[in-house]
Each structure stands twice: as structure tokens, then as C-alpha cells.
């Protein structure tokens, strides 16, 4: 008799424990916010780069991608919001779910731009340190569609030739990087744009600002040209 009583007690405890687990899980499902805002997250790897400015990287991304990708995501978010609001309207816990839904809305930061760096870390395995790579976020910012549109418009006014910080930089000569010079050489086919001298060996080849820096000229492709040393000397800082 005692054995049956002991067994019944154990079963009662187990059953009570299961009921408590189910109740806790149900409460957790009710309390937990089931809604996740559909951000558009763009990650840029800046490993091996120094003095990286987030807005410069964002500008470069805008210069190389059409604005339509942002409009399409904006439309998707609007569609997701309508669908979610319709589903909430038929729920038993309508007011609670609606409150949770409103908490995660974040249209002001719909487009997230993130800079990441690859880092080497180590893990101990069989008393041996084993290296592994992981991506670590170094900076992040979010934009609304209006902010992206305004930035895109400013970049279109300079024909997407560089970042806004570069365009308005005071020291334009500092922006004359080797990569930019090589781009102009290839574009102009190593040929002087005044006399037509061909300089494939780059001897006497100069990269000239069409509108001189002293007169407000920018270090952008449309304001740069290949000149030979003779023509560049004659031109000096004249237009």
C-alpha cells in the first residue's frame, strides 16, 4: 500500500511540474515579442583599411548601387506592416500584440549600414591554441528612406564621382591617390589631351586639374586629364 502511495506521490509531482512548465512556456510566448522589424542591413568589410569613415563608405555604396533597391525594400516593409496589422486584428490578445508591434517599428532606421572587420581569435583544443576568423562590427548607423534619398540626390549632383566628404575637402591634392591617377591614365589612353602625345611608358606624363585647385577645382575624374610635361608647363594654373 505504501508503495502505491509513494508512486502516486511521484506521479503527482511530475504531473504538477509538467503543468508548471507548460504554464511558464505559455506565459513566455505571450510576453515575448514575436515581431521582428525587417531592416535592410548592408555590411561592408573594411579589414586592412585605416582611418575609415562610415559616411564615406555609405556614399561609395550609393554611388555603385541604384536607388531602386531602397525603394523596393521600402515597399516590402509597407507590405509587411499591412499584413502584420491584419493578423493582429483577429487575435485574442489584440491590444497586447498591437503594443508589442508598435514597439519594434523603426522606419527612421530602416536601412542599416554596418562596417565590419575580420579578427583572428583563438580557441583551446586538446591543449593547443587554434586560430579562427570572425567578423566584428566596428560601426553602425541607420537611415530612413528620406535620408537616403537626400544623400543620393547630393551625390547625383556631382555625378557620383566621389564621396561628399572628398568633394568638399579643403585639401584636394591629398585626394590624388595612385588608384585615381591610374584610372585617369587608362581613361585617356596615356595620351596628352592637348597635343595628342602618346606616353605608354609614362615618361613626362602628368595628371592635370582642368579647373585648377587654386580656382576651386576638384580631384574628381571629370576635372582631371592627362597632359605631357610640355603642355602642362604651358597651361600652368590657367583654365
Amino acid at each position: 500500500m505504501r508503495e502505491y502511495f509513494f508512486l502516486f506521490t511521484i506521479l503527482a509531482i511530475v504531473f504538477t511540474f509538467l503543468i508548471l512548465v507548460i504554464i511558464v512556456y505559455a506565459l513566455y510566448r505571450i510576453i515575448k515579442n514575436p515581431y521582428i522589424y525587417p531592416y535592410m542591413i548592408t555590411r561592408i568589410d573594411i579589414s586592412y583599411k585605416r582611418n575609415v569613415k562610415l559616411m564615406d563608405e555609405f556614399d561609395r555604396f550609393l554611388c555603385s548601387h541604384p536607388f531602386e533597391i531602397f525603394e523596393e525594400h521600402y515597399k516590402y516593409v509597407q507590405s509587411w506592416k499591412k499584413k502584420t496589422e491584419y493578423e493582429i486584428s483577429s487575435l485574442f490578445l489584440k491590444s497586447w500584440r498591437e503594443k508589442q508591434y508598435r514597439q519594434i517599428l523603426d522606419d527612421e532606421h530602416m536601412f542599416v549600414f554596418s562596417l565590419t572587420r575580420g579578427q583572428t581569435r583563438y580557441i583551446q583544443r586538446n591543449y593547443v591554441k587554434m586560430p579562427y576568423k570572425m567578423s566584428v562590427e566596428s560601426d553602425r548607423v541607420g537611415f530612413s528612406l528620406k535620408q537616403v534619398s537626400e544623400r543620393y540626390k547630393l551625390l547625383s549632383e556631382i555625378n557620383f564621382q566621389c564621396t561628399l566628404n572628398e568633394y568638399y575637402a579643403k585639401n584636394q591634392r591629398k585626394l590624388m591617390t595612385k588608384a585615381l591617377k591610374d584610372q585617369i591614365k587608362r581613361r585617356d589612353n596615356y595620351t596628352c589631351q592637348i597635343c595628342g602625345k602618346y606616353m605608354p611608358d609614362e615618361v613626362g606624363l602628368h595628371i592635370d586639374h582642368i579647373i585648377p585647385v587654386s580656382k576651386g577645382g576638384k580631384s574628381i575624374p571629370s576635372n582631371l586629364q592627362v597632359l605631357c610635361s610640355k603642355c602642362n608647363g604651358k597651361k600652368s594654373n590657367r583654365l
Side-chain angles (χ1 to χ4, degrees), residues 13 19 23 27 33 46-47 50-51 69 82-83 111-112 123-124 137 141 167 180 183 188-189 198 204 215:
I13 292 172
I19 293 296
I23 292 173
L27 289 173
N33 194 331
I46 57 170
S47 302
R50 293 182 180 180
N51 302 320
I69 64 173
K82 288 182 180 179
K83 180 182 177 182
F111 304 99
V112 176
I123 187 172
Q124 194 85 6
E137 186 176 74
V141 67
Y167 188 79
L180 179 57
Q183 177 186 343
D188 290 351
N189 193 31
Y198 181 50
K215 291 180 170 59

Side-chain angles (χ1 to χ4, degrees), residues 182-209:
D182 289 342
Q183 177 186 343
I184 303 306
K185 292 172 187 177
R186 291 191 298 269
R187 186 199 67 189
D188 290 351
N189 193 31
Y190 301 88
T191 302
C192 177
Q193 299 302 292
I194 293 179
C195 69
K197 182 180 179 181
Y198 181 50
M199 298 164 284
D201 55 3
E202 300 188 27
V203 175
L205 186 152
H206 293 256
I207 303 298
D208 169 66
H209 286 81

Side-chain angles (χ1 to χ4, degrees), residues 42-56:
T42 302
R43 294 182 175 86
I44 299 295
D45 186 3
I46 57 170
S47 302
Y48 312 112
K49 294 182 181 180
R50 293 182 180 180
N51 302 320
V52 177
K53 295 180 180 178
L54 188 144
M55 292 307 297
D56 283 348

